[in-house]
Every structure is written in structure tokens, then in C-alpha cells.
Amino acid sequence: MQSNEYATMFRVEETHWWYSALHQLVFQALEAELPDWREREILDAGCGTGAILKRLGNPEKNVGIDLAPEALSFCRERGLNNVRQADICALPFPDASFDAVICSSVLYHQWVGNVEGAIREMHRVLRLGGVLLINVPALSFLHSPHDEAVMTARRFRKQELQELLEKQSFEIRRLTYWTTFLFPLAVAARTFGGSKMGRDFEASETSLAQRAFAGIMAIELRLLRNISFPFGVALFAVARK
């Protein structure tokens, strides 16, 4: 991301409706696929400013990596010392080091020069039966000024992500679009000029719109426990080695 975007992410990551929904989706999947995740070793691959890593807890077992010094600095501001600078395409860990790998909003980035290689690395560091959780932005026509600010190189379609995972011999457990109920608003904001940046990070978390979006996402997340959606702003995958 551009350097100033890390400060924005740090400011909103624990309160904004979209981040709250993403984190709930991640932990829903962990609970479903790895109920004893609190006792397992987990890698946050591309940990950003550290909100997910902080929620994982257990710093003796869990670790986050990020390529950006700014991200690691904000992680430490959160009190996280279980972070290190590393490239997702060349993870500095032995084979079969982790029971789960979380890769949230990373593979889209311009700095990920080899997406297939990054997924291969995550497969390598997972133990047999280990769980991979991936979130990526979806559908190239949703590209917006927000994508420029966070250095988006690619947005994914379901078939593309499925093929990338299957090529590395992952067993796909869940693969769904999400942020589906708000998709019409995202299209308006990002393609028809409804929002200058294609996001609402400047709005107060107590605003009526923010509360409404959070409520809508809560309903969607409940449904996502049992069904998948055919379109959405983002894609979420759960896979096993």
C-alpha cells in the first residue's frame, strides 16, 4: 500500500464495518475448521497493521509477517512483537511449521509478483491437514481509486482462485463471494462515481450509514455459515492441505 494508507488502516481496522465483518468471517472459518485454533500455531501472512494477529493472541505460537516496514511499526504500536519482515513469496519458515495460515487481502497487491508461488509457499509451511484462509478483492470492473491507493494489481474471479488452489493440491472447503448484500452500493460507489475513493473510511463508526452497513453484514455473515454467494465485492476461500 502507499505509506499513508497504513495509518488509515491502523485507525479504522478495529472499528470499521467492513474490517469487522472480514475478521468475523476469518474467525468463523477458524472455529468451523480448526476448533482448537487457540492452541495451534498460526501464521498471519501479510499481517498489515496487526488487528487479526492481535485477536489470535498466543504470541508464543503465532507469528505475523509483512513486507512493509510501516505495517510492522503499527503492529508494534499495538503491542505486537511476534512480527517480522518477510516476503509472502519466500516465507522464512521450515516446511510444515503451521496448523493454519491466514492470508487476508494480500494476494491482490503489486508487491506479490508471483501469486502462484505465494500459494505454493503457504502450502509448504502448512502441516498436513492444515487450514489456509484467503481473502481477496473480486471482479476487475470494481477497480476504483481505493485500489490505486492500496496498490491493487489484480482482482480475482472465483474460478481463478479455485484453479490456483487446486494447482497446489489444496482441498477446497469453502469458496464464496461475499459483501454481496452491499454489492449494488459498491458498484455505484466504484464505477459510477458515487464515492470519490470508492470507500467510506472517513465516516464515523457511529454514523447511521455505518451502523446500517454493519447490521446488513451481520445478516450476511449468518447466512455465509451455510451457503455461498454467486457474486460480491470480495472472495473468501477455506482450503486444507
Side-chain angles (χ1 to χ4, degrees), residues 148-166:
E148 296 298 322
V150 299
M151 299 175 66
T152 299
R154 58 194 71 84
R155 300 180 70 94
F156 293 79
R157 291 187 175 272
K158 185 177 181 178
Q159 183 67 28
E160 180 183 6
L161 187 54
Q162 178 179 331
E163 290 173 357
L164 284 165
L165 290 168
E166 290 178 344

Side-chain angles (χ1 to χ4, degrees), residues 110-132:
Q110 292 175 19
W111 291 352
V112 182
N114 183 353
V115 174
E116 183 179 327
I119 294 176
R120 185 185 307 118
E121 275 291 273
M122 290 186 280
H123 185 277
R124 180 185 66 79
V125 301
L126 273 171
R127 296 181 177 124
L128 188 62
V131 177
L132 174 64

Side-chain angles (χ1 to χ4, degrees), residues 138-211:
L139 306 176
S140 59
F141 74 86
L142 289 175
H143 191 91
S144 73
H146 172 67
D147 289 278
E148 296 298 322
V150 299
M151 299 175 66
T152 299
R154 58 194 71 84
R155 300 180 70 94
F156 293 79
R157 291 187 175 272
K158 185 177 181 178
Q159 183 67 28
E160 180 183 6
L161 187 54
Q162 178 179 331
E163 290 173 357
L164 284 165
L165 290 168
E166 290 178 344
K167 189 169 185 179
Q168 301 308 320
S169 301
F170 276 106
E171 173 200 355
I172 297 175
R173 305 277 292 172
R174 288 291 312 277
L175 178 55
T176 182
Y177 289 98
W178 71 286
T179 326
T180 300
F181 290 2
L182 294 173
F183 187 78
L185 289 178
V187 172
R190 292 175 176 235
T191 64
F192 300 132
S195 167
K196 183 178 179 181
M197 283 295 291
R199 67 189 190 190
D200 62 348
F201 286 173
E202 304 311 315
S204 167
E205 62 268 20
T206 60
S207 70
L208 180 60
Q210 290 282 306
R211 294 199 304 272

Side-chain angles (χ1 to χ4, degrees), residues 16-72:
H16 189 269
W17 63 267
W18 187 85
Y19 281 111
S20 296
L22 170 60
H23 298 170
Q24 185 175 337
L25 187 58
V26 167
F27 284 92
Q28 272 184 196
L30 273 180
E31 290 284 356
E33 296 291 332
L34 204 66
D36 60 344
W37 62 267
R38 293 170 183 81
E39 309 303 321
R40 301 297 192 104
E41 293 179 281
I42 301 174
L43 170 65
D44 190 350
C47 60
T49 62
I52 288 177
L53 186 62
K54 180 180 178 180
R55 185 166 169 179
L56 284 171
N58 207 346
E60 293 77 21
K61 290 181 178 287
N62 302 327
V63 63
I65 64 106
D66 205 284
L67 193 57
E70 298 94 334
L72 301 181

Side-chain angles (χ1 to χ4, degrees), residues 80 109 170 178 196 217 219:
L80 299 168
H109 200 278
F170 276 106
W178 71 286
K196 183 178 179 181
M217 289 308 304
I219 295 169

